Each structure stands twice: as C-alpha cells, then as structure tokens.
Amino acid sequence: MDLLLEYCDTFGLDHLYAKLFPANLLPADVPKNVIQLLDLQLPGFNSSVKPPGDVYGYEPFLLDFTEYTFQSLFPRHNLFRQTLTMFVLMTIFGWLLYFSVATVSYLFVFDKAVFNHPRYLKNQMSLEMKQAFSAIPTMVLLTIPFFLLELNGYSKLYLDVDYRSWSGVRQLATEVFCFIMFTDCLIYLVHRWLHWPNVYRWLHKPHHKWLITTPYASHAFHPVDGFMQSLPYHLYPMLFPLQKLSYLILFTFVNFWTVMIHDGEYLANDPIINGAACHTVHHLYFNYNFGQFTTLWDRLGGSYREPDQELFNKSLKKSKQTWEIQVEKMEAIKKQVEGDHDDRVYVSTKSC
C-alpha cells in the first residue's frame, strides 16, 4: 500500500493536503511537545527536516518529493493523514472494483435465466448492490490498522527482486502459491466459524440471503463478516515475506475471484478448484464447500459436496425440473440452519 500511497501523494495528495491543511494553519506559539505528540509540521519547526530512517514519508521508494511535500500541517507519515487517505482511497477503489468487475461479469458472463428461478429474490440485484455499497466503507475502516502497520514497516513486505533471474521468478511463484494455500486454509476455518448457529444469525446470514447469486452478491456481506473473511489476506504479509507488487496484484485478484464464484457460470467440474459451481452449492445447501480457492480443506474437513451434474448441462441447469429438485433439497437444509422463519421475498411467491 505504500507504493500506492506514494504515487497518490506525489501526483495530487501532497498538493491537496497543502491547500486544505497548510503548515501555517496553527499559530506559531503552539507548544513543541504538542507538535511532536500529534506529529505535526509547522514552519520553522520541522518543515525542512527529513528525519532519518526508511519509514514511509521520509524516503520515497520510487518517486521524488514534490514542492508541496513539506507544506502541509500533516506530513506524509502522520497517522491521521495516512488513516484518512487510506480510508478514502480504498473505499473508492473498493466501490470501483466491485461495480466494474461485477458489471462486466453481469453483461458478458452471468446467465440471466436465473431471474426465473423460484428462489431468486424480488429486486435482488438492487438489494445486493445496496448492501455491498454500504458494507465496503466499514470493511475498509476495520482494515485500516493493517494498512497502517504495512505503511510503517511492520510487515514482511519487500520491494526489490530480480525479475530476470530464475531464482527471482521461483521466489515470486513460491510466495504466490504459499499465499493462496495459507489464505485458503484460514478462510475455510473462518467461514466454518461463521456458520456456527449464533455467529451465523448475527453475521453471516445477510450473505446467505442470496440463495441464487448474481455477480453483485460477491461483496454483499455484513461488514464484519466481510472483514473476517479478508483477515487472512492481511495476516499473511505480517508473517511471511511477500513482494509488494505481488501483494497489490493478489489483493486485486482476490476481488476478481470473489465475483467469479458468484457469477453462476459453471465452466468445468474441476475436482481441485473451488469455482462457481462449488460456491453455488454452498449458497443452495449452506453446510458445504466453505473454501475460497480450492476444495482441499473441504475434503479434509468432510464438508465437500460435489456439484450436481445438471449444473454443467446448459439446458438442464435451468430446467424447471432441476430447479424443483434444488428447492426441495435446499428447503430441507435451510430449515435446519435458519428454522421455519424466512423473511426473504421471492420473485415467485409460488412454491415449485
């Protein structure tokens, strides 16, 4: 995140903070201990000083300081500035990524025949969008402490790697593999915990409102639920080395993948990859296929359920008979998980 923040500071935020919070905003007689405590920057006090060390804000990674870098009351390394900047940037980035990827999936991948499924909800897509839009800022806010730790050097993220050597490429490939396996394992455990009855009712049930998903269901969580399932992605670089550009790419890929497994397009019945078919089984039948990327942990944990073969037949997967069977199986499990009360409003009020 420090690379992203450095780029934004250099090409706009230094100027913006200098205009909104100039270094001369406070009177000159502010006690020095207050300035130091709040990590402020005032003319004549520390505006021209570059403290030693490689903490972000003192020595840029790739770009030079600008003429506005030391003209703001809040220097680049100020925790208030970092918190505010990361909250705004990551919220906007989250919204843009969610709506753009989900919309592309909806237009070019998603099978709109599911609109006729008897368990598709009335106004479902607008409800999914509304929930995701409101949840993303809170998820970002809960994640801010990890961003701040990363920005201030308390992680194992690193920048330099030799891309042209076999050892460098092998190192990056190993890190990506370990990241996928580590996060897949922890998400499986967190996801199973979210299905404990009391936790499910409090946190995870809003995401299972969508029995038949669209791409817009991908981020339609209770914000604490979404944060809990994102924790492994932020814990990994705190514990293990990871190249910074790889981290940004993986962070973006994770959001793409989350949309893909909710798009209802069942490309292949792969026994290893936890694709859209496996995740459809999870939304339909609740207690199966908790993994994110692979089926490994579900198989080890005894929670794997192979997708119905009808899902991979373009005509059968949207036939009335297939839907009737799905609903019959789903209703039996849903009653066990949620009881008799169902506050969902379906497009079709008739049972199958």
Side-chain angles (χ1 to χ4, degrees):
M1 295 303 163
D2 45 15
L3 297 177
L4 172 66
L5 208 55
E6 179 179 305
Y7 182 88
C8 293
D9 281 334
T10 302
F11 295 102
L13 291 182
D14 277 348
H15 188 195
L16 180 63
Y17 274 99
K19 295 300 181 183
L20 294 178
F21 307 103
N24 60 3
L25 184 65
L26 295 181
D29 57 352
V30 175
K32 290 185 177 181
N33 61 336
V34 173
I35 298 172
Q36 293 171 332
L37 178 65
L38 299 178
D39 200 9
L40 302 179
Q41 187 165 254
L42 298 181
F45 181 72
N46 63 350
S47 59
S48 61
V49 175
K50 299 180 183 179
D54 59 358
V55 175
Y56 173 72
Y58 297 151
E59 297 180 5
F61 290 103
L62 302 175
L63 304 170
D64 293 329
F65 287 123
T66 71
E67 60 179 303
Y68 300 102
T69 298
F70 299 100
Q71 294 185 20
S72 172
L73 181 67
F74 301 110
R76 288 185 176 185
H77 57 272
N78 179 271
L79 288 180
F80 168 77
R81 171 170 168 170
Q82 289 181 342
T83 299
L84 178 61
T85 300
M86 291 306 299
F87 174 72
V88 173
L89 286 181
M90 295 312 296
T91 297
I92 293 174
F93 176 76
W95 282 335
L96 290 176
L97 190 63
Y98 164 69
F99 281 107
S100 61
V101 177
T103 299
V104 170
S105 177
Y106 171 76
L107 293 175
F108 300 106
V109 179
F110 176 60
D111 187 350
K112 298 161 185 69
V114 302
F115 292 157
N116 298 314
H117 195 288
R119 289 302 177 261
Y120 184 78
L121 304 186
K122 184 178 181 180
N123 301 320
Q124 179 169 318
M125 284 204 304
S126 62
L127 292 172
E128 291 168 340
M129 292 181 202
K130 182 179 179 181
Q131 186 168 320
F133 184 83
S134 62
I136 286 172
T138 304
M139 287 190 279
V140 170
L141 188 63
L142 292 171
T143 310
I144 287 293
F146 289 94
F147 290 146
L148 292 177
L149 288 172
E150 293 168 12
L151 288 172
N152 290 278
Y154 296 99
S155 74
K156 295 185 180 294
L157 292 169
Y158 67 92
L159 182 61
D160 294 329
V161 66
D162 186 0
Y163 296 97
R164 294 172 293 182
S165 70
W166 168 244
S167 60
V169 173
R170 183 177 57 189
Q171 176 181 330
L172 292 176
T174 301
E175 289 175 359
V176 170
F177 176 79
C178 291
F179 176 90
I180 295 295
M181 297 307 295
F182 175 88
T183 56
D184 197 36
C185 178
L186 262 65
I187 288 172
Y188 172 78
L189 296 175
V190 170
H191 200 169
R192 289 209 71 163
W193 172 74
L194 286 165
H195 275 261
W196 287 8
N198 289 335
V199 180
Y200 176 84
R201 285 192 292 269
W202 179 46
L203 288 180
H204 199 48
K205 187 177 179 180
H207 187 61
H208 272 273
K209 183 174 185 175
W210 331 115
L211 301 172
I212 303 299
T213 63
T214 81
Y216 295 104
S218 58
H219 292 68
F221 290 98
H222 184 293
V224 177
D225 179 358
F227 167 70
M228 292 299 297
Q229 295 199 60
S230 73
L231 266 178
Y233 304 128
H234 304 291
L235 286 176
Y236 184 89
M238 297 295 163
L239 301 173
F240 306 104
L242 185 61
Q243 205 273 338
K244 291 182 177 182
L245 291 178
S246 295
Y247 183 47
L248 288 174
I249 293 171
L250 286 167
F251 188 81
T252 304
F253 164 75
V254 163
N255 286 274
F256 272 84
W257 184 263
T258 304
V259 172
M260 289 167 58
I261 63 176
H262 289 86
D263 66 15
E265 183 60 31
Y266 317 122
L267 298 178
N269 190 8
D270 192 291
I272 298 174
I273 303 300
N274 185 78
C278 283
H279 200 67
T280 292
V281 167
H282 177 72
H283 275 266
L284 278 173
Y285 307 134
F286 294 87
N287 298 324
Y288 305 93
N289 300 353
F290 298 98
Q292 178 78 350
F293 301 113
T294 75
T295 63
L296 172 63
W297 309 108
D298 280 296
R299 292 178 185 275
L300 293 176
S303 55
Y304 175 69
R305 179 166 176 159
E306 184 177 355
D308 300 331
Q309 292 303 308
E310 291 81 2
L311 295 178
F312 304 98
N313 185 305
K314 289 188 179 296
S315 59
L316 289 179
K317 78 172 187 177
K318 48 193 174 185
S319 73
K320 184 178 179 180
Q321 183 179 7
T322 299
W323 288 348
E324 287 175 350
I325 296 172
Q326 285 178 351
V327 170
E328 183 180 357
K329 294 178 182 177
M330 180 271 295
E331 287 294 336
I333 301 174
K334 180 165 70 69
K335 187 174 182 179
Q336 296 174 7
V337 174
E338 298 183 350
D340 293 321
H341 179 66
D342 187 356
D343 58 359
R344 299 173 181 86
V345 179
Y346 302 108
V347 170
S348 172
T349 57
K350 300 177 182 179
S351 61
C352 279

